[in-house]
Amino acid sequence: MNKKNIYVLSDSVGETAEFVVKAALSQFVDDGGYRIHRVPYVKNLTVLEDVVIKAAKQDAVIGFTLVNPRFRNYLKNIAKEYKVECVDIMGPMIEAMEKVFEKRPRLQPGLIHQLDEDYFKRVEAIEFAVKYDDGRDPRGISKADIILIGVSRTSKTPLSQYLAHKSLKVANVPIVPEVDPPKELFYADPSKFIGLKISPNKLNGIRKERLKALGLGDQSSYANMNRIQQELEYFEKLIERIGCPVIDVSNKAVEETANKIINLISD
């Protein structure tokens, strides 16, 4: 049996048109009983005419998704002239939605793929934030868009996750006097760093609540004021060495701090 030729035209990738065409083909022939010729990113009328002429010679069918009304009309008219079966897959739906929404369509090819790309970038950023949380792998420092540094309980992890939902890859590094900071901190771009500072009293209260939640007494050195002062002084020295901006998170919600970080990075 001679294989039928089907041309799929689009001013974007053409995946939508090809999917619909294959779904229709499945009602008539098995996979392999046809040839699909995908013609993506159509930019001019000459391409449309060339495809129609080929389709006419091969007794082929054309399926298309073109958001440009001029392209759609031209293709339908020339296909009619050459007596080629030509199916507008998306046009009627766009026209119907134009009536329902009472607004003009954007007429921008490939918008659905832009949305998909944004989604996958966000997922990638969330996975990145989890992988490089709390300094567990210093290799993330060189790959990050933003590097948060601060002592324990300065909202590094929730900030990393919040910013990841904005498609930003964030690594965060805890600062502990007894632990040498990873050497990667001193080789990374300083403009990516944000220091998170907090008042001693505020940190003391947060840590006491944390210990209670864990069922531990609040007399641990973790919530001791002398210990807290020691950690904050060490943090200040490290920040001075790196030379990065600092945000005081003492009385700020995560959303407020995140917006300040985004503005700093943008600047």
Side-chain angles (χ1 to χ4, degrees):
M1 183 181 72
N2 290 332
K3 293 184 178 182
K4 285 290 185 183
N5 291 284
I6 298 95
Y7 286 87
V8 173
L9 289 85
S10 176
D11 40 20
S12 182
V13 181
E15 287 179 347
T16 302
E18 184 170 341
F19 180 81
V20 174
V21 165
K22 284 183 174 179
L25 281 166
S26 67
Q27 300 295 319
F28 300 94
V29 290
D30 295 327
D31 189 22
Y34 53 82
R35 292 190 186 92
I36 289 182
H37 309 273
R38 194 197 295 190
V39 184
Y41 304 113
V42 173
K43 300 295 183 186
N44 57 67
L45 301 179
T46 304
V47 173
L48 300 177
E49 184 176 7
D50 289 345
V51 171
V52 170
I53 292 171
K54 287 179 183 176
K57 291 177 180 177
Q58 298 170 349
D59 192 24
V61 177
I62 295 174
F64 67 92
T65 51
L66 298 168
V67 297
N68 186 322
R70 178 167 168 251
F71 283 19
R72 289 206 307 269
N73 291 331
Y74 179 82
L75 180 56
K76 285 188 281 189
N77 289 333
I78 195 169
K80 186 176 180 180
E81 179 184 335
Y82 280 87
K83 296 182 173 59
V84 172
E85 290 289 344
C86 186
V87 182
D88 186 350
I89 294 169
M90 194 163 62
M93 183 61 76
I94 291 176
E95 290 164 5
M97 288 184 174
E98 185 175 356
K99 293 175 184 175
V100 171
F101 289 106
E102 297 181 342
K103 61 190 292 188
R104 295 285 295 162
R106 294 191 181 99
L107 301 179
Q108 297 175 33
L111 286 179
I112 189 171
H113 297 291
Q114 290 178 24
L115 292 173
D116 288 346
E117 185 179 349
D118 289 342
Y119 169 77
F120 287 116
K121 280 181 67 177
R122 190 160 60 250
V123 169
E124 185 181 1
I126 293 168
E127 291 175 347
F128 186 96
V130 171
K131 183 175 182 179
Y132 299 111
D133 182 44
D134 209 31
R136 63 181 58 157
D137 186 346
R139 290 175 297 181
I141 292 170
S142 62
K143 304 173 186 175
D145 299 318
I146 299 172
I147 304 152
L148 303 179
I149 51 177
V151 300
S152 175
R153 312 314 293 176
T154 48
S155 301
K156 296 186 298 298
T157 295
L159 277 168
S160 296
Q161 287 294 327
Y162 186 94
L163 292 165
H165 280 84
K166 305 289 185 183
S167 301
L168 293 164
K169 293 180 179 178
V170 185
N172 71 74
V173 182
I175 302 304
V176 183
E178 293 78 17
V179 180
D180 290 335
K183 63 181 183 301
E184 287 83 358
L185 279 183
F186 307 109
Y187 296 110
D189 182 354
S191 66
K192 293 183 177 183
F193 284 92
I194 300 289
L196 303 174
K197 75 175 183 178
I198 189 169
S199 72
N201 288 333
K202 182 72 175 179
L203 184 57
N204 178 252
I206 292 172
R207 288 188 175 182
K208 282 183 176 180
E209 289 301 317
R210 177 60 177 164
L211 289 171
K212 286 180 185 177
L214 294 172
L216 303 172
D218 61 5
Q219 300 306 311
S220 165
S221 64
Y222 183 66
N224 180 276
M225 280 297 288
N226 289 332
R227 168 64 184 183
I228 286 173
Q229 291 284 7
Q230 181 188 2
E231 288 185 38
L232 293 177
E233 287 172 9
Y234 182 75
F235 165 77
E236 293 288 351
K237 290 177 182 176
L238 187 61
I239 287 296
E240 188 176 340
R241 182 177 173 186
I242 294 172
C244 67
V246 176
I247 297 175
D248 190 336
V249 300
S250 302
N251 298 300
K252 287 185 175 64
V254 168
E255 294 85 351
E256 185 181 358
T257 305
N259 287 332
K260 285 185 72 70
I261 290 171
I262 291 169
N263 290 334
L264 281 170
I265 295 296
S266 298
D267 292 340

